[in-house]
Amino acid sequence: MEEPRREESAYDVALRQYDAVAEKLDIDPGIREMLRHPEFALEVAFPVKMDDGSVKVFKGYRVVHNTARGPGKGGIRYHPDVTFEEVKALSMWMTWKCAVVGIPYGGAKGGVTCNPLEMSKGEKERLTRRFTVEISNVIGPYTDIPGPDMFTDAQVMAWIMDTYSTQKGKFVPGVVTGKPIPLGGSLGRTPATARGLVICIREAAKELGLPLDSLRIAVQGYGNVGAHLASILEGYGCKIVGVTDIGGGCFCDAGLDPCALTAQLLETGSIDGTPGTDCLTNDELFELDCDVLVPAAVGNQITKANAGKIKAKIIAEGANGPTTPEADEILADRGVMVIPDILANAGGVTVSYFEWVQNLMNFYWTEEEIAERLERIMTESFQAVLSTAKEKGTRLREAAYNLAILRVAEAMKLRGVC
Ligand code: NAD
């Protein structure tokens, strides 16, 4: 009998993407092999008292992929689908992301398998504080610095900072980024990922000769990334024609109004059913007649099943790992420009880095200073990836990996192995 084919995990995909580029590079074979593995991977199980008095056990993970260029950096995700393999993949992508934009961090990631949408604020706080205690020997301002990710926000970061600082007996704001402003958060952190994406979309549109103010945009996910992106692009004159979230989706050929979507989200928990819009499914979103498609929700959304039907000329990966390698091939053959996640969504970690620097200095910058620095880093990084792609005749993803892997391998070589 034929053996059932094991479904490919996010980590398998991350390794395939890495191997495809690394094996063509002139780097030491030992360094190349080391970069296939996380330096450190922690899996914990911990109890949380729920509001009804019962005790529920949760599984959580913290993985540090590489620290050759600096401390580990990466968000903590709360989602029912979080797995160890996914967190390992995300930690590896963080290593490449920090390297491609040249910020002095390695890669890390964390997650707890849970459904925060079904938990009260008190339950989320108890879960966060207990998880922080479980990983407190790993995280630290000079070792591994968490930040927000899917379904974690500034409040969750504040609880992590408070729990860690209480344990250490001193205020340690630099242990985590994405904090509320009064606790050492940075101005401009909340919309940073969306701002970085917009800079990449602007540069890509320029390269393809498409005027920014006439772009038609489709967005999957209307959370931190998707909602900020929609309102910034709408401000530039773009038409947001379709948006989906976990509860459904909306379409309007003349352009959706981000304020109306946000009002519906605040009232009902989803953008679905926003007045004056038509219903839209995820499948329909990916096939919309648009110039730019932005997956800004979960991984594995663009696959060989839908890649051939995508009409967008540019895909800007807001989410991490939204495109499978097979879909990448199909899109490349069809001439779609894919701005890879490790570049496209690096605005968030870049401003997280600014937040950490401000925490360590205890000296804070204006929003204009933050925006200016972000603009410079994202534009230069996009242009560096684009010229590497042109020079080597590769796609943007391979070019971004090429630059990132060489930077990490160089740091490892310079540090030496003993
Ligand atoms: P968020 O929790 O604020 O929002 C997630 C959005 O995705 C929500 O609108 C949710 O309804 C939607 N969603 C979830 N599952 C979905 C599904 N199956 N179909 C359609 N929509 C779905 O998260 P976020 O911070 O906006 O992050 C979104 C993505 O961007 C994640 O993949 C995250 O890893 C990535 N990312 C975020 C940042 C950041 O700074 N927030 C930085 C880099 C990358």
Side-chain angles (χ1 to χ4, degrees), residues 11-85:
Y11 191 56
D12 294 328
V13 171
L15 278 180
R16 266 216 281 162
Q17 290 170 334
Y18 166 73
D19 286 338
V21 178
E23 59 201 23
K24 293 185 202 137
L25 296 176
D26 181 22
I27 51 177
D28 181 279
I31 288 177
R32 189 166 66 220
E33 177 59 25
M34 183 62 213
L35 285 169
R36 302 184 86 248
H37 307 276
E39 285 176 10
F40 183 89
L42 177 68
E43 175 178 338
V44 296
F46 59 95
V48 177
K49 192 170 275 179
M50 308 306 279
D51 289 347
D52 66 2
S54 66
V55 171
K56 202 167 163 188
V57 176
F58 292 90
K59 284 185 105 172
Y61 313 94
R62 188 73 194 168
V63 177
V64 178
H65 172 256
N66 188 275
T67 55
R69 300 180 62 260
K73 182 83 190 86
I76 290 181
R77 173 175 291 199
Y78 289 172
H79 197 278
D81 299 337
V82 165
T83 63
F84 204 5
E85 293 294 294

Side-chain angles (χ1 to χ4, degrees), residues 58 78 137 142 209 320 377 385:
F58 292 90
Y78 289 172
N137 286 335
Y142 294 102
N320 291 305
I377 289 181
V385 170

Side-chain angles (χ1 to χ4, degrees), residues 331-347:
L331 294 167
D333 289 346
R334 297 184 53 233
V336 180
M337 183 190 255
V338 179
I339 312 171
D341 46 7
I342 60 169
L343 170 67
N345 69 36

Side-chain angles (χ1 to χ4, degrees), residues 77 149 151 189 193 222-225 245-246 282 296-297 318-320:
R77 173 175 291 199
D149 194 77
F151 295 138
R189 171 60 186 92
T193 304
Y222 203 73
N224 176 306
V225 179
D245 73 4
I246 203 162
N282 266 326
N320 291 305

Side-chain angles (χ1 to χ4, degrees), residues 120-155:
S120 69
K121 189 172 177 191
E123 288 170 339
K124 264 190 281 187
E125 177 172 357
R126 291 193 292 279
L127 176 138
T128 301
R129 289 187 184 279
R130 183 64 192 246
F131 180 55
T132 305
V133 171
E134 300 293 338
I135 63 170
S136 61
N137 286 335
V138 180
I139 61 172
Y142 294 102
T143 51
D144 172 16
I145 307 140
D149 194 77
M150 217 185 318
F151 295 138
T152 57
D153 55 14
Q155 178 60 77

Side-chain angles (χ1 to χ4, degrees), residues 324-336:
T324 65
E326 289 75 17
D328 242 352
E329 297 280 339
I330 297 168
L331 294 167
D333 289 346
R334 297 184 53 233
V336 180

